[in-house]
Amino acid sequence: HWPVKLIKIRRSIVSWTNKRILGMGLPSSNFVGAGLSRLLFPQSYQRIHGIVLAVFDVLLFLGLVGIFYPGWGRVMAWLSCAAALASYYELNINPVMLRNGVILLLPMIVTTLFASSTVRSAGAILDIVLGLCMFLPGVLFGRRLFYRPLQWAPLAVTFLFVLIHFAFPLVYLDRISYGFFDNPNLNGRGLAYVALLLGILIWAFVSSDKGGISRFRLGVLVSLFTVASVGVISLLILTNYRAGWIAIAFFSVTSFFIVARVSNLLKTAVLALFSGGLVGLIRFVDVKGFAYGSVGERLLMWHCSLESWFKNYFWFGSGFDSFKNLRLACLPESAIDVHSYPHNISIELLLSGGLVGFACVLIFVAYEFKALNRAGCFSSPVASAALCAILGLLISGQLGMKFASFTFIGSISALVGIAYSQSLRTGSSICDS
C-alpha cells in the first residue's frame, strides 16, 4: 500500500501548491512558470503570467501542427509531449487507455513475424507507437480549453504561419502554390490539419461564455479567426489537395449539424453551401483531373493491393511498409518506383496486417468511440468537433495517406486526446462506463 499512499501524498502536495501559486480556476500545468514570474516580477505578475500562458498555448498548438512537419515540427511535437508528461498526474488519464494501446500493438507485432521484410515492418510499428504518444499533448490541449477557450496566441501564430508560406513558392502542373515541401499534396495535408484544429478552436470560442470579455478583445479574436482561417483555406485551395478539400467540407457540415443549435432550414443551407463549394472547386479549380496519372492510378493500386492481399496475405498480411518491396506484378514500374504505399489506409491495413490486423484495429476503434460516448465526452462541443475532425481525417486517409506512419497515427491520436479531455469536465473516466 505504500506506493499508493506516496502517490496520494504527491497529488495532495501538487494540488496545494497549485492553489497557493495560481489560485482557483487556472490549469495546474502552469504552476512553475506562474510561480517564477510571481517571485521574480512581483509588480508585473499578471502581465508576465499572461505571456507565459500565451507561450504555452503556442507550444501546444505548434506541437499538434508539427506532427505533419518533419524537422522543426517534430521538435515542437515532442516538446509538447514532454509538457504533457510533466502534467501527467493532473491530466487524470486512465491506465486503461494505455492498456488498450498495448493490446492493439500485440497483433501488429505478431504480423511482423510473417512480414516480407521484418526490419521495415518493425520500423513502421515503431512509427505507430510514437504516433500513439501524441494522445498526451492532445489531452493537455483539450484540457486547457476548459480554462482558456478564447486563445489568441495560436491564431496569431497561424497567421504568421500562413505568411511564411509565401516565402516558399512551388509550381506544379503550371500552377503556383506555396509550402515547405516540393510535393503540393504534402503541403495540403498539413494545411488541412491546421484548418481542422482551427475549427475546433472556433467551436470552443463560439460555445464559451463571453460575458466578461471586452468588445475590443472580442473584435481582435474574431479578426484573428477570420484572417487565419481565410489564409489557411486559400493556401489549401492552391495546393489542389482534393482529399483536404473533402475533409474540411465534411468537418464543417457535420460539426455544424451536431454542435450548432439552429433550424433545419439553416442546416440545409449550410449543407448546400459547402457541397456546392466543393463541387465548384473540383469543377473549376482542380487541374489534376481523373485520368490515370491521378485517380486512375490510385484505383489500379487499390485493385492490385486487394488482389494480392486476398490471394497471398489474407490472414496476417505482408507486413507494414512492404508495399514497394512487394513490386506487385499488376502495377507498372512507374507506379512502383513512385509510390511506397497504396494511398488508402483501409486497403493498406488489409495488405499489411491481413484480416487479423484489420479486425483488431476495427475492434479497438469501435471500443474507444463507444467508451468515449458512454463517458459523456461528446456532450461537449469541443469533443463533438474533435470527433468530426477525426472522421474528416479518416475520409482523407482513404484517398492518399499512409496508415503506418507517425503523421497519420499521431494526428488521429491527438484528436482522440482532445475528445477524451472533455470527459474530465465532470470528473468521469473513460473506463468508468
Side-chain angles (χ1 to χ4, degrees), residues 29-185:
S29 56
N30 298 308
F31 75 89
V32 175
L36 289 177
S37 60
R38 175 170 286 186
L39 290 174
L40 298 178
F41 308 97
Q43 301 301 323
S44 56
Y45 163 72
Q46 292 295 337
R47 182 180 302 175
I48 298 299
H49 182 49
I51 294 175
V52 171
L53 292 178
V55 170
F56 202 77
D57 293 338
V58 169
L59 168 65
L60 286 177
F61 185 77
L62 287 181
L64 299 186
V65 172
I67 294 172
F68 281 80
Y69 295 91
W72 67 266
R74 299 295 165 81
V75 172
M76 299 302 299
W78 291 116
L79 283 176
S80 66
C81 190
L85 283 173
S87 307
Y88 183 81
Y89 288 106
E90 287 72 39
L91 295 179
N92 296 321
I93 297 176
N94 199 293
V96 171
M97 296 294 291
L98 303 179
R99 184 200 67 185
N100 291 343
V102 172
I103 293 176
L104 171 66
L105 292 171
L106 289 178
M108 294 186 179
I109 295 174
V110 171
T111 60
T112 302
L113 301 177
F114 302 89
S116 59
S117 175
T118 303
V119 175
R120 292 182 68 89
S121 183
I125 291 177
L126 178 60
D127 285 339
I128 293 174
V129 173
L130 296 177
L132 291 174
C133 294
M134 292 298 104
F135 172 80
L136 296 177
V139 174
L140 183 56
F141 181 80
R143 177 79 181 275
R144 287 173 63 80
L145 288 178
F146 292 163
Y147 306 101
R148 297 171 58 77
L150 310 178
Q151 296 184 8
W152 63 268
L155 303 177
V157 168
T158 302
F159 177 65
L160 293 176
F161 183 71
V162 169
L163 292 180
I164 293 172
H165 273 70
F166 290 100
F168 301 92
L170 171 68
V171 177
Y172 180 77
L173 296 178
D174 296 326
R175 169 177 290 177
I176 189 169
S177 62
Y178 302 90
F180 306 133
F181 302 102
D182 294 333
N183 186 340
N185 284 342

Side-chain angles (χ1 to χ4, degrees), residues 44-356:
S44 56
Y45 163 72
Q46 292 295 337
R47 182 180 302 175
I48 298 299
H49 182 49
I51 294 175
V52 171
L53 292 178
V55 170
F56 202 77
D57 293 338
V58 169
L59 168 65
L60 286 177
F61 185 77
L62 287 181
L64 299 186
V65 172
I67 294 172
F68 281 80
Y69 295 91
W72 67 266
R74 299 295 165 81
V75 172
M76 299 302 299
W78 291 116
L79 283 176
S80 66
C81 190
L85 283 173
S87 307
Y88 183 81
Y89 288 106
E90 287 72 39
L91 295 179
N92 296 321
I93 297 176
N94 199 293
V96 171
M97 296 294 291
L98 303 179
R99 184 200 67 185
N100 291 343
V102 172
I103 293 176
L104 171 66
L105 292 171
L106 289 178
M108 294 186 179
I109 295 174
V110 171
T111 60
T112 302
L113 301 177
F114 302 89
S116 59
S117 175
T118 303
V119 175
R120 292 182 68 89
S121 183
I125 291 177
L126 178 60
D127 285 339
I128 293 174
V129 173
L130 296 177
L132 291 174
C133 294
M134 292 298 104
F135 172 80
L136 296 177
V139 174
L140 183 56
F141 181 80
R143 177 79 181 275
R144 287 173 63 80
L145 288 178
F146 292 163
Y147 306 101
R148 297 171 58 77
L150 310 178
Q151 296 184 8
W152 63 268
L155 303 177
V157 168
T158 302
F159 177 65
L160 293 176
F161 183 71
V162 169
L163 292 180
I164 293 172
H165 273 70
F166 290 100
F168 301 92
L170 171 68
V171 177
Y172 180 77
L173 296 178
D174 296 326
R175 169 177 290 177
I176 189 169
S177 62
Y178 302 90
F180 306 133
F181 302 102
D182 294 333
N183 186 340
N185 284 342
L186 297 180
N187 295 319
R189 289 175 194 170
L191 290 166
Y193 195 66
V194 173
L196 292 175
L197 292 176
L198 280 178
I200 294 174
L201 281 173
I202 288 174
W203 282 119
F205 171 76
V206 170
S207 60
S208 65
D209 181 13
K210 295 176 282 294
I213 187 174
S214 65
R215 290 186 178 180
F216 174 77
R217 188 185 175 196
L218 183 62
V220 170
L221 285 172
V222 172
S223 300
L224 285 174
F225 269 123
T226 302
V227 297
S229 301
V230 170
V232 170
I233 296 301
S234 298
L235 289 175
L236 178 59
I237 291 174
L238 289 178
T239 63
N240 205 162
Y241 182 55
R242 293 172 296 191
W245 298 352
I246 296 173
I248 299 306
F250 180 87
F251 166 80
S252 301
V253 172
T254 54
S255 63
F256 190 84
F257 268 60
I258 294 174
V259 180
R261 299 182 181 277
V262 295
S263 65
N264 291 332
L265 180 61
L266 184 55
K267 290 181 178 180
T268 304
V270 169
L271 175 61
L273 174 64
F274 279 95
S275 300
L278 181 60
V279 172
L281 286 175
I282 295 176
R283 174 64 180 85
F284 299 105
V285 179
D286 173 45
V287 295
K288 294 179 180 179
F290 296 88
Y292 172 77
S294 179
V295 176
E297 190 174 50
R298 280 171 168 74
L299 292 175
L300 179 60
M301 287 194 294
W302 299 349
H303 172 75
C304 290
S305 298
L306 287 174
E307 184 180 49
S308 179
W309 160 69
F310 188 78
K311 290 182 177 180
N312 305 312
Y313 307 104
F314 185 79
W315 290 109
F316 297 102
S318 60
F320 290 100
D321 203 17
S322 62
F323 178 78
K324 196 166 187 176
N325 285 350
L326 293 178
R327 305 193 73 84
L328 302 179
C330 53
L331 284 178
E333 290 294 327
S334 58
I336 296 174
D337 293 335
V338 172
H339 302 291
S340 58
Y341 54 97
H343 288 68
N344 183 298
I345 57 172
S346 299
I347 294 176
E348 179 193 351
L349 184 55
L350 273 174
L351 178 63
S352 302
L355 188 62
V356 172

Side-chain angles (χ1 to χ4, degrees), residues 12-31:
S12 298
I13 294 173
V14 169
S15 177
W16 180 86
T17 305
N18 179 40
K19 291 179 181 179
R20 294 290 296 176
I21 293 178
L22 283 182
M24 297 299 293
L26 292 177
S28 58
S29 56
N30 298 308
F31 75 89

